[in-house]
Amino acid sequence: MKVLCFGRSGQVATELRALDVEALGRDQVDFAQTAEVWATAERAPADVWINAAAWTAVDAAEEHEAEARQINCVAVEALAEVAAKRGIPLVHLSTDYVFDGSGERPWRPEDRVDPLGAYGRTKLAGENAVREAGGTHAVLRTSWVFSATGSNFVKSMLRLGAERDSLRIVADQVGGPTSAASIAAACLEVARQLVDAPDKSGTYHFAGVPDVSWAGFAREIFDAAGMDVAVEEIPTSGYPTPAARPLNSRLDCSATERVFGIARPDWREDLRAVLADLKVAA
C-alpha cells in the first residue's frame, strides 16, 4: 500500500516520514496556492492520502483568519474533491478546538461543534469540506500534540524549566496529551483499513490517556526529566492569550477503538520516549 502525506515538516508529518511514508513539503505543494494543490493532487500517486498540512498558530490565526482558512479549509477542499474524484481515501487531521470546551464530559465525534476562535473555525470548515466532497475519508481529531521536533508544550517546559525554579501553569484546562508518533501510527492504521473498508468513513477522536491539566502535564514532564521545578496552578484567566482556549478538551475515543481497534496511547510512556530522544530523561 502506497501512502502519501501532504505536509512534511510538522510534528506528525515528521513521524510519518520516520515510518517511511513519502511526504510532500511546501516546496512541492503550497497550500497557500489552491490551484497548485489541485494540480499536484491530480497527478500524485498513492493508494491513500494523509493530510497533515495545517495552519496551527492558534493565536496568530486571530489576526490572520483568511490566511488560516486558506490552509485549513480552501486547500483542503481542493484536496478532498480530487481524492473523491480519483477514489483515493483521505485521512484528515483535525483538532479539539472545534468544540467550545464547556462541561467536563469527554466530547464525542457527533457532539455539537462551536469553535471559540479563528483556528477552530478554519479547522471545522476544513472538516466539513472533507465530508462534503463525498469520498472515502476519516477526519481524525486529536489534541495537545507533542514530540521531539517542532514547537510544543513539552519542549517549552524543558526550556523554561532550565531557566527557572518555578512556573505558573494553567490548571483548569484539561485534555489528553498525544504524541505525534502515536498519531502517525494511528493515521497509518486508519488509512490501511479505509482502503479495504470504505464504509468506515467518518469522524473519529484520538488522544492520549489519562486526561490531565496542563499543570499536571508539566509536573509529569519535570519528574520524568529529573528537573526540580515547582508548578504553581493558575486559572486560564491568569494567563491571557489572543485566542480563547477550550477548558474541556477531553475526547471520547471509544469509536476509534471500536471501529479500527486503536486504543488510546498512554502519553506518559510516549513522553519518556520523547525525552529519551531529546536526551533529557532522568
Side-chain angles (χ1 to χ4, degrees):
M1 181 182 73
K2 180 175 176 56
V3 182
L4 180 65
C5 176
F6 287 82
R8 181 176 176 85
S9 60
Q11 295 183 79
V12 175
T14 298
E15 296 295 341
L16 282 166
R17 288 194 291 114
L19 297 174
D20 296 323
V21 173
E22 180 183 352
L24 301 180
R26 187 177 302 174
D27 58 334
Q28 295 163 296
V29 53
D30 186 355
F31 270 44
Q33 305 297 326
T34 308
E36 186 174 318
V37 174
W38 190 278
T40 301
E42 287 276 16
R43 64 176 183 271
D47 298 304
V48 60
W49 292 343
I50 298 172
N51 180 36
W55 175 295
T56 57
V58 175
D59 288 327
E62 292 300 305
E63 292 187 2
H64 301 279
E65 186 165 355
E67 293 94 325
R69 181 170 292 273
Q70 169 63 37
I71 305 298
N72 292 342
C73 172
V74 179
V76 171
E77 181 179 29
L79 189 67
E81 289 184 357
V82 177
K85 183 176 71 171
R86 295 184 59 190
I88 297 175
L90 173 64
V91 179
H92 174 69
L93 287 172
S94 193
T95 174
D96 58 294
Y97 275 69
V98 300
F99 297 111
D100 67 9
S102 59
E104 295 183 354
R105 176 180 62 76
W107 295 99
R108 297 183 295 254
E110 65 272 18
D111 282 337
R112 180 180 64 86
V113 288
D114 187 15
L116 297 176
Y119 169 68
R121 287 192 294 270
T122 63
K123 289 297 289 182
L124 177 58
E127 287 188 9
N128 290 335
V130 170
R131 298 185 192 100
E132 291 167 4
T136 299
H137 71 275
V139 171
L140 191 64
R141 295 176 181 145
T142 189
S143 64
W144 297 21
V145 184
F146 68 92
S147 70
T149 62
S151 299
N152 57 70
F153 186 75
V154 170
K155 294 178 71 177
S156 293
M157 289 301 98
L158 294 175
R159 174 177 54 80
L160 293 172
E163 301 170 352
R164 310 174 194 175
D165 56 10
S166 66
L167 291 170
R168 303 170 73 240
I169 308 294
V170 169
D172 57 353
Q173 295 175 27
V174 177
T178 320
S179 76
S182 286
I183 298 170
C187 283
L188 278 180
E189 180 59 23
V190 170
R192 182 187 68 78
Q193 294 191 38
L194 277 182
V195 170
D196 296 328
D199 59 311
K200 293 184 177 182
S201 290
T203 301
Y204 299 92
H205 290 169
F206 181 73
V209 67
D211 293 324
V212 67
S213 69
W214 286 116
F217 189 19
R219 288 194 181 95
E220 189 71 25
I221 293 166
F222 296 137
D223 287 346
M227 301 173 69
D228 185 14
V229 181
V231 174
E232 177 188 350
E233 297 188 357
I234 62 170
T236 296
S237 59
Y239 187 74
T241 55
R245 266 63 173 175
L247 297 182
N248 176 22
S249 287
R250 301 171 181 88
L251 296 177
D252 183 333
C253 305
S254 57
T256 307
E257 183 164 11
R258 183 178 67 254
V259 175
F260 295 103
I262 303 172
R264 295 181 68 180
D266 189 326
W267 59 262
R268 296 165 298 189
E269 295 178 5
D270 287 352
L271 170 63
R272 282 155 180 77
V274 167
L275 293 177
D277 286 344
L278 292 170
K279 297 180 172 55
V280 294

PDB file of all heavy atoms in Angstrom, residues 199-218:
ATOM      1  N   ASP A 199     -16.501   1.793   4.091  1.00  0.00           N
ATOM      2  CA  ASP A 199     -17.677   2.067   4.909  1.00  0.00           C
ATOM      3  C   ASP A 199     -17.311   2.561   6.307  1.00  0.00           C
ATOM      4  O   ASP A 199     -18.178   3.002   7.065  1.00  0.00           O
ATOM      5  CB  ASP A 199     -18.551   0.808   5.023  1.00  0.00           C
ATOM      6  CG  ASP A 199     -17.805  -0.365   5.644  1.00  0.00           C
ATOM      7  OD1 ASP A 199     -16.677  -0.664   5.204  1.00  0.00           O
ATOM      8  OD2 ASP A 199     -18.340  -0.986   6.576  1.00  0.00           O
ATOM      9  N   LYS A 200     -16.028   2.507   6.638  1.00  0.00           N
ATOM     10  CA  LYS A 200     -15.578   3.033   7.931  1.00  0.00           C
ATOM     11  C   LYS A 200     -15.375   4.545   7.894  1.00  0.00           C
ATOM     12  O   LYS A 200     -14.933   5.142   8.874  1.00  0.00           O
ATOM     13  CB  LYS A 200     -14.285   2.343   8.362  1.00  0.00           C
ATOM     14  CG  LYS A 200     -14.463   0.863   8.695  1.00  0.00           C
ATOM     15  CD  LYS A 200     -13.175   0.231   9.221  1.00  0.00           C
ATOM     16  CE  LYS A 200     -13.416  -1.230   9.613  1.00  0.00           C
ATOM     17  NZ  LYS A 200     -12.184  -1.853  10.177  1.00  0.00           N
ATOM     18  N   SER A 201     -15.702   5.168   6.782  1.00  0.00           N
ATOM     19  CA  SER A 201     -15.582   6.626   6.675  1.00  0.00           C
ATOM     20  C   SER A 201     -16.347   7.306   7.798  1.00  0.00           C
ATOM     21  O   SER A 201     -17.421   6.849   8.206  1.00  0.00           O
ATOM     22  CB  SER A 201     -16.129   7.106   5.323  1.00  0.00           C
ATOM     23  OG  SER A 201     -15.309   6.717   4.258  1.00  0.00           O
ATOM     24  N   GLY A 202     -15.800   8.412   8.290  1.00  0.00           N
ATOM     25  CA  GLY A 202     -16.486   9.160   9.338  1.00  0.00           C
ATOM     26  C   GLY A 202     -15.536  10.031  10.128  1.00  0.00           C
ATOM     27  O   GLY A 202     -14.383  10.247   9.731  1.00  0.00           O
ATOM     28  N   THR A 203     -16.023  10.534  11.249  1.00  0.00           N
ATOM     29  CA  THR A 203     -15.254  11.418  12.121  1.00  0.00           C
ATOM     30  C   THR A 203     -14.912  10.676  13.406  1.00  0.00           C
ATOM     31  O   THR A 203     -15.787  10.059  14.024  1.00  0.00           O
ATOM     32  CB  THR A 203     -16.056  12.688  12.445  1.00  0.00           C
ATOM     33  OG1 THR A 203     -16.378  13.356  11.212  1.00  0.00           O
ATOM     34  CG2 THR A 203     -15.257  13.629  13.334  1.00  0.00           C
ATOM     35  N   TYR A 204     -13.652  10.751  13.796  1.00  0.00           N
ATOM     36  CA  TYR A 204     -13.164   9.992  14.942  1.00  0.00           C
ATOM     37  C   TYR A 204     -12.264  10.859  15.823  1.00  0.00           C
ATOM     38  O   TYR A 204     -11.761  11.894  15.391  1.00  0.00           O
ATOM     39  CB  TYR A 204     -12.384   8.760  14.458  1.00  0.00           C
ATOM     40  CG  TYR A 204     -13.210   7.803  13.645  1.00  0.00           C
ATOM     41  CD1 TYR A 204     -13.259   7.921  12.247  1.00  0.00           C
ATOM     42  CD2 TYR A 204     -13.951   6.797  14.248  1.00  0.00           C
ATOM     43  CE1 TYR A 204     -14.023   7.050  11.486  1.00  0.00           C
ATOM     44  CE2 TYR A 204     -14.720   5.922  13.497  1.00  0.00           C
ATOM     45  CZ  TYR A 204     -14.751   6.049  12.110  1.00  0.00           C
ATOM     46  OH  TYR A 204     -15.514   5.189  11.363  1.00  0.00           O
ATOM     47  N   HIS A 205     -12.072  10.381  17.055  1.00  0.00           N
ATOM     48  CA  HIS A 205     -11.200  11.068  18.000  1.00  0.00           C
ATOM     49  C   HIS A 205     -10.034  10.168  18.388  1.00  0.00           C
ATOM     50  O   HIS A 205     -10.188   8.943  18.485  1.00  0.00           O
ATOM     51  CB  HIS A 205     -11.976  11.460  19.272  1.00  0.00           C
ATOM     52  CG  HIS A 205     -12.963  12.542  19.049  1.00  0.00           C
ATOM     53  ND1 HIS A 205     -13.918  12.884  19.987  1.00  0.00           N
ATOM     54  CD2 HIS A 205     -13.166  13.382  17.990  1.00  0.00           C
ATOM     55  CE1 HIS A 205     -14.651  13.880  19.525  1.00  0.00           C
ATOM     56  NE2 HIS A 205     -14.222  14.199  18.310  1.00  0.00           N
ATOM     57  N   PHE A 206      -8.884  10.790  18.631  1.00  0.00           N
ATOM     58  CA  PHE A 206      -7.705  10.044  19.071  1.00  0.00           C
ATOM     59  C   PHE A 206      -6.870  10.942  19.965  1.00  0.00           C
ATOM     60  O   PHE A 206      -6.367  11.980  19.519  1.00  0.00           O
ATOM     61  CB  PHE A 206      -6.873   9.583  17.866  1.00  0.00           C
ATOM     62  CG  PHE A 206      -5.667   8.781  18.254  1.00  0.00           C
ATOM     63  CD1 PHE A 206      -5.792   7.478  18.706  1.00  0.00           C
ATOM     64  CD2 PHE A 206      -4.399   9.335  18.168  1.00  0.00           C
ATOM     65  CE1 PHE A 206      -4.676   6.729  19.066  1.00  0.00           C
ATOM     66  CE2 PHE A 206      -3.274   8.606  18.530  1.00  0.00           C
ATOM     67  CZ  PHE A 206      -3.418   7.293  18.972  1.00  0.00           C
ATOM     68  N   ALA A 207      -6.739  10.566  21.236  1.00  0.00           N
ATOM     69  CA  ALA A 207      -5.965  11.364  22.188  1.00  0.00           C
ATOM     70  C   ALA A 207      -5.370  10.454  23.246  1.00  0.00           C
ATOM     71  O   ALA A 207      -5.862   9.356  23.506  1.00  0.00           O
ATOM     72  CB  ALA A 207      -6.851  12.422  22.851  1.00  0.00           C
ATOM     73  N   GLY A 208      -4.299  10.929  23.864  1.00  0.00           N
ATOM     74  CA  GLY A 208      -3.623  10.155  24.886  1.00  0.00           C
ATOM     75  C   GLY A 208      -4.431  10.041  26.168  1.00  0.00           C
ATOM     76  O   GLY A 208      -5.366  10.788  26.416  1.00  0.00           O
ATOM     77  N   VAL A 209      -4.040   9.084  26.995  1.00  0.00           N
ATOM     78  CA  VAL A 209      -4.688   8.811  28.261  1.00  0.00           C
ATOM     79  C   VAL A 209      -3.605   8.722  29.343  1.00  0.00           C
ATOM     80  O   VAL A 209      -2.484   8.289  29.060  1.00  0.00           O
ATOM     81  CB  VAL A 209      -5.509   7.490  28.169  1.00  0.00           C
ATOM     82  CG1 VAL A 209      -4.607   6.272  27.996  1.00  0.00           C
ATOM     83  CG2 VAL A 209      -6.458   7.304  29.324  1.00  0.00           C
ATOM     84  N   PRO A 210      -3.874   9.179  30.567  1.00  0.00           N
ATOM     85  CA  PRO A 210      -5.123   9.733  31.094  1.00  0.00           C
ATOM     86  C   PRO A 210      -5.256  11.229  30.807  1.00  0.00           C
ATOM     87  O   PRO A 210      -4.276  11.906  30.527  1.00  0.00           O
ATOM     88  CB  PRO A 210      -4.965   9.500  32.598  1.00  0.00           C
ATOM     89  CG  PRO A 210      -3.488   9.626  32.838  1.00  0.00           C
ATOM     90  CD  PRO A 210      -2.850   9.013  31.619  1.00  0.00           C
ATOM     91  N   ASP A 211      -6.501  11.716  30.879  1.00  0.00           N
ATOM     92  CA  ASP A 211      -6.716  13.148  30.760  1.00  0.00           C
ATOM     93  C   ASP A 211      -6.052  13.852  31.932  1.00  0.00           C
ATOM     94  O   ASP A 211      -6.015  13.333  33.051  1.00  0.00           O
ATOM     95  CB  ASP A 211      -8.215  13.462  30.732  1.00  0.00           C
ATOM     96  CG  ASP A 211      -8.892  12.929  29.478  1.00  0.00           C
ATOM     97  OD1 ASP A 211      -8.265  12.960  28.403  1.00  0.00           O
ATOM     98  OD2 ASP A 211     -10.042  12.470  29.580  1.00  0.00           O
ATOM     99  N   VAL A 212      -5.545  15.058  31.679  1.00  0.00           N
ATOM    100  CA  VAL A 212      -4.758  15.765  32.689  1.00  0.00           C
ATOM    101  C   VAL A 212      -4.830  17.260  32.396  1.00  0.00           C
ATOM    102  O   VAL A 212      -5.126  17.676  31.275  1.00  0.00           O
ATOM    103  CB  VAL A 212      -3.286  15.262  32.649  1.00  0.00           C
ATOM    104  CG1 VAL A 212      -2.611  15.676  31.346  1.00  0.00           C
ATOM    105  CG2 VAL A 212      -2.479  15.737  33.849  1.00  0.00           C
ATOM    106  N   SER A 213      -4.558  18.064  33.392  1.00  0.00           N
ATOM    107  CA  SER A 213      -4.469  19.509  33.172  1.00  0.00           C
ATOM    108  C   SER A 213      -3.075  19.848  32.653  1.00  0.00           C
ATOM    109  O   SER A 213      -2.133  19.047  32.742  1.00  0.00           O
ATOM    110  CB  SER A 213      -4.722  20.264  34.478  1.00  0.00           C
ATOM    111  OG  SER A 213      -3.635  20.059  35.382  1.00  0.00           O
ATOM    112  N   TRP A 214      -2.941  21.065  32.129  1.00  0.00           N
ATOM    113  CA  TRP A 214      -1.611  21.498  31.694  1.00  0.00           C
ATOM    114  C   TRP A 214      -0.637  21.491  32.872  1.00  0.00           C
ATOM    115  O   TRP A 214       0.539  21.120  32.713  1.00  0.00           O
ATOM    116  CB  TRP A 214      -1.677  22.900  31.094  1.00  0.00           C
ATOM    117  CG  TRP A 214      -2.295  22.986  29.734  1.00  0.00           C
ATOM    118  CD1 TRP A 214      -3.442  23.634  29.382  1.00  0.00           C
ATOM    119  CD2 TRP A 214      -1.796  22.404  28.519  1.00  0.00           C
ATOM    120  NE1 TRP A 214      -3.685  23.494  28.035  1.00  0.00           N
ATOM    121  CE2 TRP A 214      -2.700  22.744  27.479  1.00  0.00           C
ATOM    122  CE3 TRP A 214      -0.675  21.631  28.214  1.00  0.00           C
ATOM    123  CZ2 TRP A 214      -2.503  22.338  26.154  1.00  0.00           C
ATOM    124  CZ3 TRP A 214      -0.488  21.221  26.892  1.00  0.00           C
ATOM    125  CH2 TRP A 214      -1.392  21.575  25.888  1.00  0.00           C
ATOM    126  N   ALA A 215      -1.105  21.887  34.051  1.00  0.00           N
ATOM    127  CA  ALA A 215      -0.232  21.889  35.228  1.00  0.00           C
ATOM    128  C   ALA A 215       0.209  20.471  35.571  1.00  0.00           C
ATOM    129  O   ALA A 215       1.383  20.221  35.883  1.00  0.00           O
ATOM    130  CB  ALA A 215      -0.959  22.528  36.415  1.00  0.00           C
ATOM    131  N   GLY A 216      -0.727  19.519  35.511  1.00  0.00           N
ATOM    132  CA  GLY A 216      -0.380  18.136  35.789  1.00  0.00           C
ATOM    133  C   GLY A 216       0.577  17.579  34.752  1.00  0.00           C
ATOM    134  O   GLY A 216       1.496  16.811  35.082  1.00  0.00           O
ATOM    135  N   PHE A 217       0.370  17.949  33.503  1.00  0.00           N
ATOM    136  CA  PHE A 217       1.263  17.529  32.433  1.00  0.00           C
ATOM    137  C   PHE A 217       2.665  18.076  32.690  1.00  0.00           C
ATOM    138  O   PHE A 217       3.670  17.361  32.547  1.00  0.00           O
ATOM    139  CB  PHE A 217       0.698  18.029  31.107  1.00  0.00           C
ATOM    140  CG  PHE A 217       1.381  17.501  29.868  1.00  0.00           C
ATOM    141  CD1 PHE A 217       2.167  16.360  29.886  1.00  0.00           C
ATOM    142  CD2 PHE A 217       1.208  18.170  28.653  1.00  0.00           C
ATOM    143  CE1 PHE A 217       2.784  15.883  28.719  1.00  0.00           C
ATOM    144  CE2 PHE A 217       1.809  17.697  27.490  1.00  0.00           C
ATOM    145  CZ  PHE A 217       2.604  16.562  27.525  1.00  0.00           C
ATOM    146  N   ALA A 218       2.751  19.353  33.074  1.00  0.00           N
ATOM    147  CA  ALA A 218       4.052  19.971  33.347  1.00  0.00           C
ATOM    148  C   ALA A 218       4.783  19.240  34.471  1.00  0.00           C
ATOM    149  O   ALA A 218       5.989  18.978  34.379  1.00  0.00           O
ATOM    150  CB  ALA A 218       3.859  21.442  33.706  1.00  0.00           C
TER     151      ALA A 218
END
